[in-house]
């Protein structure tokens, strides 16, 4: 198993390019199932575990894939299965994204229920609701979603989401673009990754209006074609790198990102005392000597993203004062707290609210990753902790970050990747 060994106290300084976005890459890869003819060429696909897992799933279904230097080439002409197996879906919840495209293309699919993850049950009831509204018959048996379209083709309708859901919005889009008639999605997610998916589908020949708003109108078309496309940059990776500079009293410029996509995070950095400047495709941050405690509440876009909550908590252990952190999307997304406290932080949980007392001197020790963003949080804490921090089970980190330790090392961090054994 891999661990990262971080010798803390080094200042992060310099310029780095963000990678392509993981959370737009995954639905885009799923959407290639909608066009049987031609070869897709998708640029700026990050080379990280979730993309490799999703590609494994597509290959299992019969797609032909090549991936080199962040260019993904896919043909889904010769699919041979309509089933997404438990072994792959369990590894990555986003596999549920094949539900809409397979149902749309074949009128029948079987997708394993994804199960939960470290910070909650992660239900898929909204994905199922969407498909039923579009005319599918769903049965849940032996841990699988078995979906069949009565009459062969999904039929457009109005769907109002009771809560904002990135995944269910993505699945609804991919089911509706070739459904018969008009589909209207109310309270649709407006995360940049969904906007990117809409643009990708539009380029494939879909007819979507309201892109970037919470009401999407989709006119079903008969056929979509393979295209070439540039994925967007990863705003969460960029925010994580900005945190690395802020927590080490350093300075950084992250290129590629669209600052507007990080607006709520940049406002929080400014409130914490960081000097933030932006351009068309970069964000620069200079850390203050004295960080100010800053409350955040994670909510759907454009509010502060839940995927930056753990990273912000690490930063607030170094801020002067008490910071209150609430996650309105995943109330229990706090598995990183016990590990931060083992490093010397002083964080309490009261009524689903984390109360971070700072600043605290952190002292390196072994800490355990529990999920993707929790592992990023522990790496950030290790950068500022005295002595050496060993972040274990970094397969969590590798799911969602492309060469993050290389990027941080190029900016001045002292990080090495080593192997270790766990007690059985
Ligand atoms: C996406 O997950 C992201 N993953 C998550 O990022 C991110 O945390 C999340 O959106 C919220 O922004 C990908 O894009 C691959 P949701 P998703 O449906 O689509 C509830 C990371 O770190 N819900 O927007 O699964 C759900 O429990 C990952 O990169 C239902 O109740 O999230 C949550 O409370 C972690 N029923 C809320 O909606 C459903 O059917 C928002 O979830 C679906 C969701």
């Amino acid at each position: 198993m891999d661990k990262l060994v971080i010798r803390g106290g080094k200042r992060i300084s310099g310029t780095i390019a963000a990678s392509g976005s993981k959370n737009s890459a995954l639905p885009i890869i799923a959407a290639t199932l909608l066009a049987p003819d031609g070869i897709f060429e998708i640029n700026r696909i990050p080379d990280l575990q979730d993309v490799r897992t999703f590609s494994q799933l597509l290959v299992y279904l019969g797609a032909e894939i090549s991936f080199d230097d962040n260019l993904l080439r896919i043909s889904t002409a010769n699919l041979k299965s309509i089933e997404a197996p438990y072994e792959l879906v369990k590894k990555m919840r986003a596999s549920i994204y094949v539900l809409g495209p397979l149902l749309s293309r074949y009128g029948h699919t079987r997708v394993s229920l994804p199960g939960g993850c470290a910070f909650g049950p992660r239900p898929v009831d909204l994905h199922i609701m969407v498909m039923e509204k579009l005319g599918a018959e769903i049965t849940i048996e032996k841990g699988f979603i078995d979906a069949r379209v009565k009459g062969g083709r999904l039929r457009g309708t109005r769907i109002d989401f009771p809560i904002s859901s990135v995944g269910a919005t993505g699945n609804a889009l991919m089911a509706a673009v070739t459904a018969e008639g008009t589909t209207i999605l109310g309270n649709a997610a407006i995360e940049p990754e969904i906007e990117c998916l809409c643009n990708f589908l539009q380029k494939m020949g879909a007819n979507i209006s309201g892109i970037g708003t919470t009401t999407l109108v989709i006119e079903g078309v008969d056929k979509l074609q393979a295209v070439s496309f540039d994925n967007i940059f990863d705003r969460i990776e960029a925010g994580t790198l900005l945190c690395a500079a802020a927590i080490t009293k350093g300075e950084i410029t992250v290129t590629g990102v669209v600052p507007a996509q990080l607006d709520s995070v940049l406002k929080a950095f400014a409130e914490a005392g960081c000097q933030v400047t932006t351009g068309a495709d970069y964000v620069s941050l200079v850390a203050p000597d004295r960080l100010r405690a800053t409350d955040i509440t994670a909510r759907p876009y454009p509010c502060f993203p839940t995927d930056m909550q753990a990273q912000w908590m690490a930063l607030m252990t170094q801020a002067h004062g008490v910071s209150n952190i609430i996650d309105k999307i995943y109330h229990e997304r706090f598995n990183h707290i016990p590990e931060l406290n083992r490093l010397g932080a002083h964080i309490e949980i009261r009524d689903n609210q984390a109360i971070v007392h700072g600043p605290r001197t952190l002292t390196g020790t072994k800490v355990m990753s529990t999920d993707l963003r929790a592992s990023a949080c522990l790496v950030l804490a290790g950068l500022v902790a005295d002595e050496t921090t060993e972040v274990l089970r970094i397969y969590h980190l590798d799911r969602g970050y492309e060469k993050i330790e290389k990027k941080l090392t190029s900016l001045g961090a002292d990080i090495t990747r080593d192997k270790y054994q766990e007690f059985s």
Side-chain angles (χ1 to χ4, degrees):
M1 199 136 6
D2 282 8
K3 64 181 175 182
L4 287 185
V5 179
I6 306 168
R7 276 161 288 280
K10 309 287 184 297
R11 195 171 165 276
I12 290 294
S13 160
T15 297
I16 193 84
S19 296
S21 162
K22 163 179 85 82
N23 289 348
S24 52
L26 300 177
I28 282 174
I29 293 170
T32 63
L33 293 165
L34 290 164
D37 305 329
I39 296 177
F40 288 87
E41 293 201 333
I42 310 162
N43 273 312
R44 218 180 285 135
I45 295 294
D47 183 7
L48 42 80
Q49 190 54 48
D50 272 6
V51 165
R52 290 191 286 272
T53 302
F54 213 107
S55 301
Q56 240 184 321
L57 174 56
L58 267 287
V59 168
Y60 173 89
L61 295 171
E64 290 160 71
I65 292 183
S66 69
F67 184 36
D68 183 35
D69 195 20
N70 300 113
L71 173 68
L72 198 67
R73 291 166 54 83
I74 299 184
S75 159
T76 65
N78 308 309
L79 296 186
K80 59 182 192 302
S81 169
I82 59 159
E83 179 169 305
Y86 172 71
E87 294 77 0
L88 284 171
V89 176
K90 183 63 193 152
K91 277 173 77 174
M92 186 186 58
R93 166 190 163 72
S95 309
I96 191 80
Y97 270 135
V98 301
L99 177 64
L102 287 177
L103 190 57
S104 177
R105 180 163 168 173
Y106 290 108
H108 177 209
T109 181
R110 284 169 49 78
V111 178
S112 169
L113 284 167
C117 74
F119 49 82
R122 307 289 298 276
V124 290
D125 57 311
L126 297 178
H127 297 251
I128 291 168
M129 177 270 285
V130 161
M131 301 309 153
E132 287 178 329
K133 288 220 173 208
L134 290 167
E137 212 163 63
I138 306 268
T139 49
I140 308 285
E141 54 178 15
K142 294 185 183 163
F144 274 83
I145 302 166
D146 190 296
R148 295 169 191 270
V149 183
K150 295 171 290 204
R153 190 175 178 185
L154 295 167
R155 286 180 307 284
T157 185
R158 177 165 185 120
I159 301 171
D160 289 298
F161 288 103
I163 56 170
S164 174
S165 164
V166 173
T169 300
N171 243 329
L173 277 162
M174 291 189 279
V177 286
T178 54
E180 199 175 315
T182 306
T183 300
I184 299 173
L185 301 180
N187 194 26
I190 56 170
E191 271 69 0
E193 295 75 27
I194 290 297
E195 185 170 342
C196 179
L197 174 63
C198 287
N199 293 332
F200 180 66
L201 291 166
Q202 195 92 317
K203 192 169 183 186
M204 287 171 65
N207 181 338
I208 306 170
S209 51
I211 295 177
T213 76
T214 55
T215 302
L216 296 170
V217 181
I218 302 109
E219 298 297 342
V221 296
D222 293 335
K223 195 167 166 43
L224 297 170
Q225 67 269 341
V227 293
S228 62
F229 186 77
D230 291 335
N231 184 24
I232 60 171
F233 287 94
D234 196 311
R235 63 191 170 103
I236 304 301
E237 185 211 27
T240 306
L241 293 166
L242 292 168
C243 265
I247 202 168
T248 58
K249 292 190 171 46
E251 44 82 26
I252 193 172
T253 294
V254 183
T255 60
V257 287
V258 175
Q261 293 180 0
L262 271 170
D263 194 46
S264 54
V265 179
L266 301 185
K267 283 195 169 75
F269 277 122
E271 203 183 318
C274 298
Q275 192 190 323
V276 176
T277 50
T278 61
D281 64 350
Y282 73 85
V283 175
S284 294
L285 179 146
V286 178
D289 277 338
R290 199 183 153 86
L291 281 164
R292 287 194 293 267
T294 303
D295 299 348
I296 60 105
T297 298
R299 286 195 175 89
Y301 193 83
C303 297
F304 194 97
T306 175
D307 293 348
M308 277 296 302
Q309 179 258 104
Q311 297 93 307
W312 190 258
M313 196 179 293
L315 182 62
M316 289 298 103
T317 67
Q318 304 307 301
H320 289 253
V322 177
S323 309
N324 298 300
I325 294 177
I326 300 171
D327 196 320
K328 289 285 190 190
I329 295 185
Y330 300 114
H331 304 302
E332 270 88 55
R333 197 175 190 173
F334 288 149
N335 293 318
H336 37 287
I337 292 178
E339 295 305 291
L340 283 172
N341 285 341
R342 289 188 60 249
L343 287 166
H346 176 198
I347 308 170
E348 305 164 280
I349 304 179
R350 242 179 268 140
D351 309 326
N352 279 335
Q353 180 165 308
I355 299 150
V356 187
H357 301 268
R360 300 278 292 188
T361 300
L362 304 183
T363 306
T365 185
K366 288 183 184 178
V367 286
M368 188 77 80
S369 305
T370 50
D371 59 80
L372 167 55
R373 306 304 174 178
S375 53
C377 151
L378 296 173
V379 170
L380 292 170
L383 292 177
V384 72
D386 295 340
E387 301 170 30
T388 299
T389 300
E390 295 191 14
V391 183
L392 310 180
R393 295 189 181 174
I394 54 156
Y395 58 83
H396 290 290
L397 188 73
D398 294 337
R399 287 191 49 175
Y401 288 95
E402 181 180 52
K403 305 185 183 76
I404 188 87
E405 78 262 24
K406 288 192 172 54
K407 291 189 176 182
L408 291 171
T409 302
S410 76
L411 294 164
D414 180 345
I415 304 181
T416 51
R417 180 181 286 251
D418 286 343
K419 296 283 180 199
Y420 76 102
Q421 292 294 326
E422 288 207 346
F423 296 114
S424 53

